[in-house]
Amino acid sequence: MSFLTKYLMIINEATEMVNPNLSIKFAVGISLFANALLSLGTERHFKYYNDVWSGRQCSHALLFAQLIVEDVCHGLHGFVVPIRDPETLTPYPNIDVGDLGEKAGLNGIDNGYIMFYNYRIPRENLLNRIGDINSDGEYETSYRDPQRLLGAALESLSAGRVALIQESCNSLIKSVVIAVRYAAQRLQFSDDNGIELPIIEYQTHQWRIFPFVAASYIMKCYVRELSDIYIECVAKSRSGEMDMKQTSQMVSGVHSLVCCTKALVTWTSQRAIQECREACGGHGYHKAAGFGDMRNNHDPRVTFEGDNNVLLQQTSNWLLRIFSDSDIDFSVYPNTNLNFMANYKQVLARKFQNDDFTINLDNFIMHTYKWLICWLAKATKEKMEKLKAFEMDRFKIRNLCQVYKARSLSLVFSEYNIINHFQEKLLSCDSDLKPVLIKVWKLYSLWSIYNHLSLLYQGGYSNSSNLSEYVSEGIIHLCEELKPEMVALVDSISPPDFVLNSVLGYSDGKGNFVGGEGKAT
């Protein structure tokens, strides 16, 4: 099962790089439907699984709804619902279906609506791996906790979010490849000797583009690991090798990782595409440059499979539960590296010192993130405790703690995981590659910390301007150091020219590729 899931993810990722419209059609119409049948259904549903891979696919719908038996709600369950006659494709009586029209992009698949009016389906159409209705009309399940039942239903559907993260990383890579190759060729303005310089020589251009190159390396490396962690989690949860409590904790941990990573990566890619487009000037706005289609096709990723801001609430709720649990076993949560939260008072006691940056930059980066996570968790919890004094309900309290607190906590946690993972990978890195990849890691880390300076000052991590100056100067210095390596860095991760599909970013620097017609002028 895990092999099949990984196989489908790889197929989807490769397809998306070439044709996003074909990819989304395959992912939703085949992969998602088929995976849900295998994950949530039983032998009686295999006939639908076989039909997915051959023939027309608009006769049945995969529906999630609350299952109510004798006025008792048993939570979210999946159903295979026949909606059209397979011969005539006419909708069945008591069903209305329709198309919602074109979107801003990604129109390879239609978005529509469906409405049911007292529509009845056979009992056997219930996807019954987690719960079933017996012949006497009674509900049966091995899950007693509705929340665990919901988690079991949703664990397989997180595959869609993981796929979005993979796709977004590839869009990030494609955008920086185009922008860097263009910057290395495009001449603009003259030096004192009257010689025009490539725009990659200018500090402002490096500052705009190079951190996104670093992000592409750091994020791509982490997402590969996260994909394997997710697949392993699903396999373990299905195997029954862990008890219910451990399984529930593991699933919730991986779910939280996927939620915050999806938000961070899709937003980073969105920013990168736009910045790279602008960095290519008017040429970047030409359709043949590739940025316009890439931007429109990427944009829905920040909202579908869960709006990013909502997903961040999932992660912050989980983090706050961990922070409040004095008996937590961190070993249950894979790849979260949160052991330091158990000693948050000691972490918060160590503030920024000038020598931290100049003597051991690696330690400064990691401690800064640990400090910020602990401070945000503590500040968010304290705000919640204060609101409880006003006898507000749980919903209102959480709602009033999102902006500047819980939301930031989730994003900082996601960055920390990515940064920590890449640092660990550097330990086993090839010695020839290690020096440049260390610079890549430092650039992304400092660039990310720079975005949180206001929080660090607000929390009292430093009361000196040196923190801001050191971080900003460090970013500029690393950009200058990485400039000679930058074209080689993007060449190393670039897809083939026919996949990149941009006249500004072809590998020969001239807009030509074998079998292609585009020429940059």
Side-chain angles (χ1 to χ4, degrees), residues 213-225 335 337 362 365-366 414-430 433-445 482 489 493:
V213 177
S216 68
Y217 268 82
I218 307 293
M219 290 181 171
K220 183 67 174 179
C221 182
Y222 177 75
V223 169
R224 285 178 177 172
E225 181 86 2
N335 207 43
N337 308 295
D362 294 19
I365 289 170
M366 297 313 301
S414 181
E415 290 172 359
Y416 166 74
N417 283 321
I418 291 172
I419 289 169
N420 185 70
H421 174 263
F422 198 81
Q423 186 188 42
E424 292 178 350
K425 289 297 182 182
L426 287 173
L427 297 175
S428 58
C429 179
D430 186 283
L433 299 175
K434 199 168 190 176
V436 68
L437 292 179
I438 288 176
K439 294 175 186 177
V440 166
W441 177 79
K442 290 179 178 178
L443 176 57
Y444 176 76
S445 301
L482 281 168
L489 281 170
I493 57 174

Side-chain angles (χ1 to χ4, degrees), residues 257-282:
L257 281 176
V258 171
C259 285
C260 65
T261 305
K262 188 258 184 183
L264 178 64
V265 173
T266 56
W267 271 333
T268 302
S269 182
Q270 185 184 51
R271 290 167 52 203
I273 295 169
Q274 182 63 25
E275 193 67 50
C276 289
R277 201 292 295 165
E278 293 179 23
C280 293

Side-chain angles (χ1 to χ4, degrees), residues 322-334:
I322 288 179
F323 185 71
S324 302
D325 188 349
S326 58
D327 298 322
I328 193 71
D329 178 10
F330 289 101
S331 65
V332 177
Y333 304 109

